């Protein structure tokens, strides 16, 4: 049976040939790209060689005695040590600047949060300032000691007798 799940050997062979052909084309395109890159590098190298002075034209740096060579070597060693110290100092300064940037960013974020909080507080105060005062309820009249009186009642009327003046 010739189903997609069960290919015949001829189908499998055609598939493999197609895959090999794709790989061959990819290899040829890669080889062409490498050839172009190599040509570009050769042109660049030729330009560099043309721009540099010939090596024979430069003078030898040390033509003196071994003592002079040793002196120059010491100078070079001191300069390398100074250069290394400067490099370490630069690295330390970069780290310090990076830490300072981080601290400033954190401070800026804290300021933004505080400004937002202040804006909310100011809005709340404005709302309170422009809001109408709450309606005050007049409490029922309260006699001393928390005794509530009606509208026509007199405090301590039952104890001391009537406060009402007769007419």
């Amino acid at each position: 049976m010739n189903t997609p799940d069960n290919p015949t050997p001829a189908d499998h062979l055609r598939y493999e040939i197609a895959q090999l052909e794709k790989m061959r084309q990819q290899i040829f395109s890669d080889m062409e790209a490498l050839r172009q890159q190599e040509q570009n590098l050769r042109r660049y190298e030729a330009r560099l060689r043309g721009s540099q002075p010939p090596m024979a034209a430069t003078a030898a740096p040390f033509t003196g005695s071994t003592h002079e060579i040793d002196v120059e070597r010491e100078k070079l060693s001191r300069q390398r040590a100074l250069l290394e110290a400067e490099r370490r100092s630069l690295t330390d300064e970069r780290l310090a600047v990076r830490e300072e940037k981080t601290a400033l960013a954190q401070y800026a974020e804290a300021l933004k949060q505080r400004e937002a909080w202040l804006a909310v507080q100011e809005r709340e105060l404005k709302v309170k300032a422009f809001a109408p005062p709450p309606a005050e309820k007049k409490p029922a009249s309260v006699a001393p000691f928390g005794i509530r009186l009606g509208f026509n009642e007199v405090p301590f009327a039952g104890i001391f007798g009537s406060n009402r003046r007769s007419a």
Side-chain angles (χ1 to χ4, degrees):
M1 293 183 143
N2 193 4
T3 63
D5 296 336
N6 191 7
T8 64
D11 291 339
H12 183 68
L13 186 60
R14 279 189 221 111
Y15 175 76
E16 291 293 326
I17 289 172
Q19 291 296 320
L20 287 173
E21 184 61 30
K22 286 180 186 177
M23 291 172 71
R24 186 176 72 78
Q25 289 174 354
Q26 182 66 38
I27 289 171
F28 283 143
S29 67
D30 289 347
M31 285 175 49
E32 184 59 32
L34 287 172
R35 279 189 199 113
Q36 288 177 354
Q37 188 176 14
E38 185 179 8
Q39 288 174 353
N40 287 340
L41 287 173
R42 284 186 181 156
R43 279 188 241 131
Y44 180 70
E45 182 182 11
R47 265 194 330 224
L48 285 178
R49 289 181 191 271
S51 67
Q52 291 178 346
M55 290 298 233
T58 59
F62 303 112
T63 56
S65 67
T66 57
H67 176 68
E68 291 173 352
I69 292 175
D70 289 340
V71 168
E72 292 298 320
R73 190 173 290 141
E74 283 296 316
K75 285 181 185 178
L76 179 64
S77 134
R78 284 191 304 262
Q79 288 177 351
R80 280 187 180 163
L82 288 172
L83 179 65
E84 183 62 25
E86 284 295 320
R87 188 193 62 77
R88 281 189 301 245
S89 174
L90 180 63
T91 302
D92 292 343
E93 287 176 5
R94 283 182 179 170
L95 288 173
V97 167
R98 188 177 301 147
E99 289 172 0
E100 192 172 312
K101 278 184 180 179
T102 303
L104 283 173
Q106 290 173 350
Y107 183 69
E109 184 62 31
L111 282 177
K112 285 180 185 178
Q113 289 176 354
R114 185 169 181 182
E115 286 175 353
W117 179 80
L118 283 173
V120 168
Q121 295 299 320
E122 287 176 354
R123 267 189 258 122
E124 288 177 3
L125 285 174
K126 284 181 183 178
V127 167
K128 287 179 184 177
F130 292 115
E136 293 185 25
K137 294 181 185 177
K138 291 190 175 181
S141 73
V142 176
F145 308 111
I147 303 171
R148 291 196 181 271
L149 302 176
F151 183 67
N152 290 329
E153 292 183 23
V154 179
F156 306 111
I159 300 174
F160 300 110
S162 178
N163 288 12
R164 292 187 195 193
R165 298 186 182 191
S166 350

PDB file of all heavy atoms in Angstrom, residues 44-64:
ATOM      1  N   TYR A  44      41.129  44.762   0.821  1.00  0.00           N
ATOM      2  CA  TYR A  44      41.368  45.555   2.035  1.00  0.00           C
ATOM      3  C   TYR A  44      42.832  45.456   2.462  1.00  0.00           C
ATOM      4  O   TYR A  44      43.467  46.451   2.818  1.00  0.00           O
ATOM      5  CB  TYR A  44      40.447  45.060   3.145  1.00  0.00           C
ATOM      6  CG  TYR A  44      40.594  45.794   4.444  1.00  0.00           C
ATOM      7  CD1 TYR A  44      40.177  47.110   4.570  1.00  0.00           C
ATOM      8  CD2 TYR A  44      41.175  45.179   5.556  1.00  0.00           C
ATOM      9  CE1 TYR A  44      40.318  47.799   5.758  1.00  0.00           C
ATOM     10  CE2 TYR A  44      41.317  45.855   6.749  1.00  0.00           C
ATOM     11  CZ  TYR A  44      40.884  47.159   6.847  1.00  0.00           C
ATOM     12  OH  TYR A  44      41.028  47.837   8.019  1.00  0.00           O
ATOM     13  N   GLU A  45      43.394  44.258   2.389  1.00  0.00           N
ATOM     14  CA  GLU A  45      44.803  44.065   2.756  1.00  0.00           C
ATOM     15  C   GLU A  45      45.705  44.861   1.824  1.00  0.00           C
ATOM     16  O   GLU A  45      46.678  45.495   2.265  1.00  0.00           O
ATOM     17  CB  GLU A  45      45.141  42.581   2.698  1.00  0.00           C
ATOM     18  CG  GLU A  45      46.559  42.256   3.116  1.00  0.00           C
ATOM     19  CD  GLU A  45      46.870  40.781   3.002  1.00  0.00           C
ATOM     20  OE1 GLU A  45      46.072  40.035   2.402  1.00  0.00           O
ATOM     21  OE2 GLU A  45      47.927  40.385   3.502  1.00  0.00           O
ATOM     22  N   ALA A  46      45.395  44.863   0.531  1.00  0.00           N
ATOM     23  CA  ALA A  46      46.201  45.619  -0.431  1.00  0.00           C
ATOM     24  C   ALA A  46      46.135  47.109  -0.130  1.00  0.00           C
ATOM     25  O   ALA A  46      47.152  47.817  -0.205  1.00  0.00           O
ATOM     26  CB  ALA A  46      45.716  45.331  -1.855  1.00  0.00           C
ATOM     27  N   ARG A  47      44.928  47.596   0.228  1.00  0.00           N
ATOM     28  CA  ARG A  47      44.811  49.019   0.586  1.00  0.00           C
ATOM     29  C   ARG A  47      45.635  49.341   1.816  1.00  0.00           C
ATOM     30  O   ARG A  47      46.277  50.385   1.894  1.00  0.00           O
ATOM     31  CB  ARG A  47      43.341  49.357   0.859  1.00  0.00           C
ATOM     32  CG  ARG A  47      42.632  49.913  -0.316  1.00  0.00           C
ATOM     33  CD  ARG A  47      41.320  50.533   0.092  1.00  0.00           C
ATOM     34  NE  ARG A  47      40.730  49.880   1.256  1.00  0.00           N
ATOM     35  CZ  ARG A  47      39.457  49.555   1.380  1.00  0.00           C
ATOM     36  NH1 ARG A  47      38.616  49.844   0.438  1.00  0.00           N
ATOM     37  NH2 ARG A  47      39.002  48.969   2.458  1.00  0.00           N
ATOM     38  N   LEU A  48      45.590  48.463   2.824  1.00  0.00           N
ATOM     39  CA  LEU A  48      46.379  48.701   4.036  1.00  0.00           C
ATOM     40  C   LEU A  48      47.878  48.715   3.732  1.00  0.00           C
ATOM     41  O   LEU A  48      48.616  49.554   4.244  1.00  0.00           O
ATOM     42  CB  LEU A  48      46.075  47.639   5.085  1.00  0.00           C
ATOM     43  CG  LEU A  48      44.753  47.764   5.823  1.00  0.00           C
ATOM     44  CD1 LEU A  48      44.579  46.601   6.789  1.00  0.00           C
ATOM     45  CD2 LEU A  48      44.691  49.063   6.585  1.00  0.00           C
ATOM     46  N   ARG A  49      48.295  47.773   2.927  1.00  0.00           N
ATOM     47  CA  ARG A  49      49.729  47.723   2.588  1.00  0.00           C
ATOM     48  C   ARG A  49      50.146  48.970   1.814  1.00  0.00           C
ATOM     49  O   ARG A  49      51.247  49.471   1.990  1.00  0.00           O
ATOM     50  CB  ARG A  49      50.047  46.471   1.781  1.00  0.00           C
ATOM     51  CG  ARG A  49      49.988  45.209   2.593  1.00  0.00           C
ATOM     52  CD  ARG A  49      50.349  44.001   1.737  1.00  0.00           C
ATOM     53  NE  ARG A  49      50.050  42.773   2.426  1.00  0.00           N
ATOM     54  CZ  ARG A  49      50.899  42.141   3.223  1.00  0.00           C
ATOM     55  NH1 ARG A  49      52.095  42.642   3.414  1.00  0.00           N
ATOM     56  NH2 ARG A  49      50.549  41.036   3.825  1.00  0.00           N
ATOM     57  N   GLY A  50      49.274  49.473   0.984  1.00  0.00           N
ATOM     58  CA  GLY A  50      49.595  50.678   0.223  1.00  0.00           C
ATOM     59  C   GLY A  50      49.636  51.918   1.096  1.00  0.00           C
ATOM     60  O   GLY A  50      50.369  52.864   0.811  1.00  0.00           O
ATOM     61  N   SER A  51      48.875  51.942   2.162  1.00  0.00           N
ATOM     62  CA  SER A  51      48.825  53.134   3.014  1.00  0.00           C
ATOM     63  C   SER A  51      49.945  53.168   4.053  1.00  0.00           C
ATOM     64  O   SER A  51      50.235  54.220   4.606  1.00  0.00           O
ATOM     65  CB  SER A  51      47.472  53.225   3.712  1.00  0.00           C
ATOM     66  OG  SER A  51      47.339  52.165   4.641  1.00  0.00           O
ATOM     67  N   GLN A  52      50.601  52.027   4.336  1.00  0.00           N
ATOM     68  CA  GLN A  52      51.673  51.986   5.332  1.00  0.00           C
ATOM     69  C   GLN A  52      53.014  52.293   4.681  1.00  0.00           C
ATOM     70  O   GLN A  52      53.281  51.881   3.557  1.00  0.00           O
ATOM     71  CB  GLN A  52      51.743  50.609   5.989  1.00  0.00           C
ATOM     72  CG  GLN A  52      50.561  50.291   6.868  1.00  0.00           C
ATOM     73  CD  GLN A  52      50.676  48.886   7.463  1.00  0.00           C
ATOM     74  OE1 GLN A  52      51.491  48.092   7.023  1.00  0.00           O
ATOM     75  NE2 GLN A  52      49.841  48.623   8.444  1.00  0.00           N
ATOM     76  N   PRO A  53      53.868  52.987   5.417  1.00  0.00           N
ATOM     77  CA  PRO A  53      55.211  53.227   4.869  1.00  0.00           C
ATOM     78  C   PRO A  53      55.983  51.909   4.873  1.00  0.00           C
ATOM     79  O   PRO A  53      55.715  51.019   5.670  1.00  0.00           O
ATOM     80  CB  PRO A  53      55.824  54.239   5.841  1.00  0.00           C
ATOM     81  CG  PRO A  53      55.063  54.073   7.105  1.00  0.00           C
ATOM     82  CD  PRO A  53      53.697  53.601   6.715  1.00  0.00           C
ATOM     83  N   PRO A  54      56.934  51.779   4.013  1.00  0.00           N
ATOM     84  CA  PRO A  54      57.728  50.544   3.981  1.00  0.00           C
ATOM     85  C   PRO A  54      58.494  50.367   5.294  1.00  0.00           C
ATOM     86  O   PRO A  54      58.888  51.329   5.933  1.00  0.00           O
ATOM     87  CB  PRO A  54      58.682  50.725   2.811  1.00  0.00           C
ATOM     88  CG  PRO A  54      58.344  52.028   2.177  1.00  0.00           C
ATOM     89  CD  PRO A  54      57.292  52.706   2.984  1.00  0.00           C
ATOM     90  N   MET A  55      58.678  49.132   5.683  1.00  0.00           N
ATOM     91  CA  MET A  55      59.331  48.836   6.958  1.00  0.00           C
ATOM     92  C   MET A  55      60.799  49.250   6.975  1.00  0.00           C
ATOM     93  O   MET A  55      61.329  49.602   8.003  1.00  0.00           O
ATOM     94  CB  MET A  55      59.236  47.339   7.266  1.00  0.00           C
ATOM     95  CG  MET A  55      57.829  46.918   7.590  1.00  0.00           C
ATOM     96  SD  MET A  55      57.279  47.772   9.043  1.00  0.00           S
ATOM     97  CE  MET A  55      56.755  46.432  10.025  1.00  0.00           C
ATOM     98  N   ALA A  56      61.438  49.212   5.856  1.00  0.00           N
ATOM     99  CA  ALA A  56      62.868  49.554   5.810  1.00  0.00           C
ATOM    100  C   ALA A  56      63.079  51.037   6.097  1.00  0.00           C
ATOM    101  O   ALA A  56      64.146  51.440   6.537  1.00  0.00           O
ATOM    102  CB  ALA A  56      63.450  49.194   4.457  1.00  0.00           C
ATOM    103  N   ALA A  57      62.060  51.869   5.860  1.00  0.00           N
ATOM    104  CA  ALA A  57      62.209  53.306   6.051  1.00  0.00           C
ATOM    105  C   ALA A  57      62.197  53.699   7.524  1.00  0.00           C
ATOM    106  O   ALA A  57      62.664  54.768   7.881  1.00  0.00           O
ATOM    107  CB  ALA A  57      61.096  54.046   5.312  1.00  0.00           C
ATOM    108  N   THR A  58      61.673  52.860   8.388  1.00  0.00           N
ATOM    109  CA  THR A  58      61.631  53.209   9.806  1.00  0.00           C
ATOM    110  C   THR A  58      62.974  52.896  10.443  1.00  0.00           C
ATOM    111  O   THR A  58      63.641  51.919  10.098  1.00  0.00           O
ATOM    112  CB  THR A  58      60.522  52.413  10.535  1.00  0.00           C
ATOM    113  OG1 THR A  58      60.784  51.029  10.389  1.00  0.00           O
ATOM    114  CG2 THR A  58      59.157  52.749   9.969  1.00  0.00           C
ATOM    115  N   ALA A  59      63.359  53.712  11.377  1.00  0.00           N
ATOM    116  CA  ALA A  59      64.642  53.531  12.052  1.00  0.00           C
ATOM    117  C   ALA A  59      64.484  52.556  13.201  1.00  0.00           C
ATOM    118  O   ALA A  59      63.432  52.452  13.809  1.00  0.00           O
ATOM    119  CB  ALA A  59      65.136  54.874  12.583  1.00  0.00           C
ATOM    120  N   ALA A  60      65.526  51.855  13.507  1.00  0.00           N
ATOM    121  CA  ALA A  60      65.513  50.925  14.633  1.00  0.00           C
ATOM    122  C   ALA A  60      65.457  51.743  15.917  1.00  0.00           C
ATOM    123  O   ALA A  60      66.183  52.725  16.069  1.00  0.00           O
ATOM    124  CB  ALA A  60      66.751  50.054  14.601  1.00  0.00           C
ATOM    125  N   PRO A  61      64.614  51.357  16.889  1.00  0.00           N
ATOM    126  CA  PRO A  61      64.461  52.169  18.082  1.00  0.00           C
ATOM    127  C   PRO A  61      65.680  52.161  18.995  1.00  0.00           C
ATOM    128  O   PRO A  61      65.977  53.150  19.630  1.00  0.00           O
ATOM    129  CB  PRO A  61      63.253  51.568  18.780  1.00  0.00           C
ATOM    130  CG  PRO A  61      63.121  50.203  18.236  1.00  0.00           C
ATOM    131  CD  PRO A  61      63.727  50.229  16.866  1.00  0.00           C
ATOM    132  N   PHE A  62      66.394  51.050  19.076  1.00  0.00           N
ATOM    133  CA  PHE A  62      67.532  50.953  19.986  1.00  0.00           C
ATOM    134  C   PHE A  62      68.775  50.580  19.193  1.00  0.00           C
ATOM    135  O   PHE A  62      68.935  49.453  18.761  1.00  0.00           O
ATOM    136  CB  PHE A  62      67.267  49.897  21.061  1.00  0.00           C
ATOM    137  CG  PHE A  62      66.025  50.152  21.847  1.00  0.00           C
ATOM    138  CD1 PHE A  62      64.934  49.328  21.745  1.00  0.00           C
ATOM    139  CD2 PHE A  62      65.936  51.249  22.697  1.00  0.00           C
ATOM    140  CE1 PHE A  62      63.785  49.571  22.470  1.00  0.00           C
ATOM    141  CE2 PHE A  62      64.799  51.497  23.420  1.00  0.00           C
ATOM    142  CZ  PHE A  62      63.720  50.659  23.302  1.00  0.00           C
ATOM    143  N   THR A  63      69.615  51.537  19.048  1.00  0.00           N
ATOM    144  CA  THR A  63      70.878  51.276  18.336  1.00  0.00           C
ATOM    145  C   THR A  63      72.078  51.451  19.264  1.00  0.00           C
ATOM    146  O   THR A  63      73.215  51.354  18.821  1.00  0.00           O
ATOM    147  CB  THR A  63      71.015  52.227  17.138  1.00  0.00           C
ATOM    148  OG1 THR A  63      70.915  53.564  17.606  1.00  0.00           O
ATOM    149  CG2 THR A  63      69.952  51.941  16.102  1.00  0.00           C
ATOM    150  N   GLY A  64      71.813  51.716  20.524  1.00  0.00           N
ATOM    151  CA  GLY A  64      72.900  51.998  21.463  1.00  0.00           C
ATOM    152  C   GLY A  64      73.397  50.742  22.156  1.00  0.00           C
ATOM    153  O   GLY A  64      73.161  49.607  21.750  1.00  0.00           O
TER     154      GLY A  64
END
